[in-house]
Amino acid sequence: MSARLRGTLLPVSLFLALALVPVFAKLGPESFILAIATRLVILALAAMSLDLLIGYGGLVSFGHAAFLGIGAYAVGILSSHGIDDALLQLAAALAGAALFGLLTGLIALRTEGVYFIMITLAFGQMLFFLATSLAAYGGDDGMTLSSRSQILGHDLLRSDAALYGLSLGALLLCYLLCRRLTASRFGRVLSGTRENRTRMEAIGFQPFRFQLVAYVMAGLIAGLAGFLFANQTGFVSPATMSWQRSGDLIFMVVLGGVGTLHGAVAGAAAFLLLEEVLSHWTEHWRILFGPLLVLAVLFARGGIAGLVGGRRG
Amino acid sequence: MSLTLLALQALNGLQFGLILFLIAAGLTLIFGVMDFINLAHGVQYMVGAYLAAWFTAATGSFGLGLLLAMPTALAFGLLLEVLIFRHLYERSHLDQVLATFGIIIFLNEGVRLLWGSAPLSVPLPESLSGSIPLFGGISYPVYRLAIIAAGLGVAALLYGLVNHTRIGMLVRAGASNAAMVSALGINIRLLFTVVFGFGAMLAGFAGAMVAPILSVEPGMGDNVLILAFVVIVIGGIGSIRGAFLAALLVGLVDTLGRFIAPTLLRALLDPAAASQTGRALAPMLIYILMAAILFARPSGLFPVRR
C-alpha cells in the first residue's frame, strides 16, 4: 500500500464505522449505544482540536477541558434564563471560547515548553473554580437542563439519533477543516515553528500570531464540542472542565497517535471502550486504568494510528 | 473588618504559603535538575498525609506517626523513581505528563481502596493543641504556629543545603547544565535519585504536617499540586528562592483575597452582590496574579540561567 492510501484508509474506515452506528444500534439497546457513541464523537471532537495544538503546534495544553466547559456552560446558563435556541447558544459558546482562548493564549503563548503546560493547567483550574463559585448556576453541583437545544423553535434534537447525526456531522466537518488547515501554508508555519522556532523567525514569520490563531481555533472546536456535550448529558457541572478531563483528552490524543487528527478519534474510541469494560469489571477500575496509561506511554509509541500506519506531519 | 482578624488571616496565609513551599521546593528542584515534570508530586503529599494518619492511629502518638511517616514517604518516593520515573527522564514532556497523570489516577484510587472514600481525621498532638495569646488580645492555635516554625526551619535548612554544601553545589550545577556535571565525573543518576527522594520526602512531610488540620482524603494532593505549579511558575522554575517568595505570595493572596475581596466590593456593590462576586472572584485571584506576573516576566520572578 502506498503511504497516501494508508493515510486515508484508517480515517475513512473510522468515519464509515461511526456512520453505521445508528443502524447497528437498532439491534441492541438503542439509546444506550447511541448515548455512548455520541459521547465518543463529542470527546473525539475535543481531542482532535487538542491534537491540532499538540501534534502540529507542539503546544501541550493541559487546560483544554476549559473550552469544553465554556461550551457546556453557554448552553446551561442561557437555557436557565429561558433561551434555548441552539443558534444563540452555539454563538455564545463559540464567542466565549474565542474570548477565553484569546486572553489566555496571549499570556500562555509568551512562554513555552513546560511553562506552557503548567500555565494552561492553571488557567483551566481558574475557570473550574469560577464555575464552582457560580451559586446562581448550581455551584459545585452543576445544573440539569430542562430540554435539549431547540433549532428555530423546533425540538429537532430530541431524538438521540438526531443528536448523534449532528455530532457526527460536526466531527466530520471539523476533521476536514483541520486536515485542510494543517496542509495549508498556515499549518506548515505551525509545524515549522514546532520543529525550529528560530528558523521560522529568521525566514520572516511571526510564529506567535500563528500559534495564537491555532490556539483560538482549537478552543472554538472544543467549545462546539462542549455545546454538544451539554445537550448529550443534559447536565452541566464544573466536572465538565476538571483537570482530569484535560488529562483524559491528552491521553486520547497520545493513545490514538499524535499529529494525525483521525488518531484522536481512534484514541477517544479506545479510551471509552477501556472505561466501559474496566468499570463493568470493578468499581475501582481506575486502579487498572492508571497503570495502563503508564504502560501505554512507556511502550506504545506512535499510538493506534502509528500501528495501523500512515503517520503524517 | 477588624485589624486583628486581618492579622489572623495573614498568619493563616503564611502557614498555607509555607506548606505550599514544602511541596513546590521539591517540584522545582526535580524540574530544575532533571528537566522532569512530575504531576505525581501532589500524590506524594497525599501519601504523606495518609501515612501519618495510619501510623498515628497505629502508635497512638502523632510524633511517632510523623517520625515513621517520613522515612516511609522517602522509601515510597524512591520506589516510584526506580520503577517508573527513571525511565521517563529522557522522554518528552508530553510523555512525562501523561505517565505521571496515570500514577495520580492509580494512587488516588489506591488509597480509596485501602482506606475508603471518607476523609480520615488525625487528632492533634496533646502538647500542641490549644491556642496561645498573641499581640493585641488575639490568640492563635499552637499547632498552626508549629507548622509555620517547621516551614521556616525547612526553608532555612534548604537554603543552607543548596548554597553551602557540596551536594547543594552539585544540585545547582545540575540545574544549569546536567550534561556537563556528568562529564566531570559526577554520578548524575545518583544525584537525580537523591534529589527525587528528598523532594518526595518534603512533600510527604507537608502532607503529614497538615493531616491534623485538614481532612485526609483521596485526591487531596491534586489541588495542591496545581497551586504548587502556580508557585514555581511565578517563582521561576528551578529556583528555590523564587519558590519560597512565590509560595508566600500565593498563600497570602489566596487567604487574604477570600477575606478582603467581598469586603472591598461592598464599597461598590450592594452586600448580596458583593459577597457573591467576591466569592466568585477570590479563588481566581492567584491565577490572575500569575497571569499578570507572567505577562511582565514570561519565565518567572527568578529565572534560572541556563
Side-chain angles (χ1 to χ4, degrees):
Chain A
M1 269 190 293
S2 72
R4 191 182 160 78
L5 189 63
R6 272 186 288 140
T8 46
L9 191 66
L10 183 61
V12 167
S13 42
L14 272 173
F15 276 103
L16 265 180
L18 286 174
L20 290 175
V21 164
V23 181
F24 286 107
K26 292 206 187 305
L27 304 174
E30 186 178 4
S31 62
F32 174 74
I33 294 178
L34 276 180
I36 297 251
T38 312
R39 202 176 140 81
L40 190 170
V41 166
I42 294 168
L43 288 177
L45 187 58
M48 194 180 70
S49 68
L50 184 60
D51 191 27
L52 194 62
L53 291 181
I54 296 182
Y56 296 88
L59 301 163
V60 181
S61 166
F62 208 134
H64 210 57
F67 294 103
L68 207 60
I70 290 174
Y73 266 86
V75 176
I77 289 175
L78 285 181
S79 97
S80 79
H81 291 291
I83 303 172
D84 48 15
D85 183 71
L87 290 177
L88 283 177
Q89 290 176 344
L90 189 59
L94 295 182
L99 186 68
F100 183 74
L102 196 64
L103 288 178
T104 59
L106 273 174
I107 294 163
L109 288 169
R110 287 166 65 88
T111 65
E112 49 189 2
V114 81
Y115 276 90
F116 184 79
I117 300 178
M118 295 186 193
I119 290 159
T120 46
L121 177 61
F123 280 134
Q125 204 64 3
M126 175 177 90
L127 213 62
F128 175 83
F129 282 121
L130 177 66
T132 57
S133 60
L134 289 177
Y137 303 109
D140 264 330
D141 303 323
M143 54 186 156
T144 308
L145 305 179
S146 52
S147 71
R148 285 189 179 154
S149 305
Q150 313 282 312
I151 296 176
L152 302 171
H154 298 288
D155 202 0
L156 292 177
L157 293 181
R158 199 177 53 190
S159 96
D160 290 338
L163 184 64
Y164 179 73
L166 180 69
S167 305
L168 186 57
L171 179 66
L172 184 62
L173 205 70
C174 290
Y175 173 69
L176 294 175
L177 180 80
C178 285
R179 266 191 90 129
R180 260 300 176 67
L181 201 66
T182 51
S184 69
R185 174 174 173 275
F186 172 85
R188 303 217 174 266
V189 175
L190 200 61
S191 303
T193 307
R194 181 197 60 200
E195 299 292 333
N196 194 329
R197 188 189 186 96
T198 317
R199 279 192 195 165
M200 290 313 286
E201 280 168 353
I203 56 173
F205 288 106
Q206 288 183 299
F208 181 82
R209 294 183 181 178
F210 289 84
Q211 289 181 327
L212 188 62
V213 171
Y215 187 73
V216 173
M217 283 280 306
L220 280 171
I221 296 176
L224 168 65
F227 163 82
L228 295 168
F229 195 75
N231 272 299
Q232 194 262 321
T233 52
F235 180 71
V236 176
S237 80
T240 317
M241 51 176 130
S242 70
W243 73 285
Q244 284 91 344
R245 166 115 40 216
S246 297
D248 290 345
L249 289 176
I250 297 183
F251 181 43
M252 290 173 206
V253 171
V254 172
L255 191 65
V258 175
T260 56
L261 295 176
H262 56 265
V265 182
F271 177 88
L272 282 179
L273 196 70
L274 262 179
E275 191 184 73
E276 276 301 312
V277 170
L278 292 181
S279 62
H280 269 291
W281 204 11
T282 160
E283 172 199 353
H284 297 284
W285 60 278
R286 286 187 192 84
I287 207 149
L288 299 169
F289 185 72
L292 272 177
L293 221 164
V294 177
L295 291 176
V297 172
L298 287 179
F299 299 111
R301 314 201 67 175
I304 297 170
L307 290 176
V308 181
R311 190 184 157 87
R312 293 160 39 92
Chain B
M1 173 173 68
S2 65
L3 220 59
T4 49
L5 212 54
L6 192 68
L8 275 182
Q9 292 297 335
L11 277 174
N12 281 341
L14 182 65
Q15 178 243 304
F16 182 45
L18 285 166
I19 289 293
L20 279 181
F21 169 67
L22 290 181
I23 300 159
L27 201 59
T28 203
L29 271 183
I30 291 169
F31 186 80
V33 180
M34 310 176 206
D35 196 27
F36 177 55
I37 173 168
N38 180 16
L39 295 189
H41 202 67
V43 287
Q44 307 271 15
Y45 163 86
M46 177 184 73
V47 165
Y50 267 95
L51 286 173
W54 193 42
F55 283 125
T56 303
T59 59
S61 143
F62 179 73
L64 263 180
L66 186 65
L67 222 59
L68 287 171
M70 295 274 291
T72 320
L74 174 68
F76 185 73
L78 290 178
L79 181 74
L80 281 182
E81 204 268 345
V82 171
L83 279 184
I84 301 166
F85 295 148
R86 160 171 304 199
H87 307 290
L88 293 168
Y89 294 151
E90 308 292 321
R91 294 298 195 82
S92 68
H93 288 143
L94 178 61
D95 284 353
Q96 296 172 351
V97 161
L98 209 53
T100 51
F101 178 63
I103 295 171
I104 296 182
I105 295 176
F106 173 71
L107 286 178
N108 276 343
E109 200 59 36
V111 295
R112 192 171 287 138
L113 202 66
L114 286 174
W115 285 284
S117 300
L120 304 181
S121 64
V122 178
L124 268 180
E126 196 83 352
S127 53
L128 293 175
S129 58
S131 307
I132 53 168
L134 292 178
F135 49 86
I138 57 169
S139 60
Y140 197 70
V142 182
Y143 189 74
R144 284 179 184 265
L145 285 179
I147 293 184
I148 294 179
L152 289 174
V154 171
L157 183 77
L158 261 179
Y159 177 80
L161 262 179
V162 171
N163 289 306
H164 298 290
T165 63
R166 184 176 160 77
I167 185 116
M169 184 188 72
L170 291 178
V171 166
R172 277 179 292 137
S176 40
N177 193 335
M180 185 59 83
V181 175
S182 176
L184 290 173
I186 307 296
N187 185 344
I188 198 90
R189 283 275 162 190
L190 184 67
L191 183 70
F192 282 6
T193 309
V194 168
V195 170
F196 194 89
F198 192 68
M201 192 173 69
L202 278 184
F205 177 65
M209 286 301 282
V210 298
I213 54 171
L214 294 180
S215 54
V216 178
E217 56 190 345
M220 67 182 282
D222 298 359
N223 279 334
V224 171
L225 169 82
I226 294 165
L227 287 179
F229 274 162
V230 171
V231 165
I232 68 174
V233 164
I234 290 180
I237 297 176
S239 161
I240 293 274
R241 184 172 52 147
F244 183 70
L245 291 175
L248 294 189
L249 192 65
V250 167
L252 285 171
V253 166
D254 192 50
T255 313
L256 290 178
R258 280 166 209 273
F259 175 65
I260 294 176
T263 322
L264 279 185
L265 284 169
R266 216 162 290 158
L268 302 170
L269 304 162
D270 65 276
S275 86
Q276 188 158 64
T277 323
R279 248 179 311 172
L281 203 63
M284 293 172 67
L285 275 179
I286 47 170
Y287 302 105
I288 296 171
L289 174 79
M290 177 193 77
I293 288 177
L294 286 179
F295 195 75
R297 301 179 68 115
S299 38
L301 293 176
F302 298 96
V304 172
R305 283 201 196 93
R306 285 182 187 270

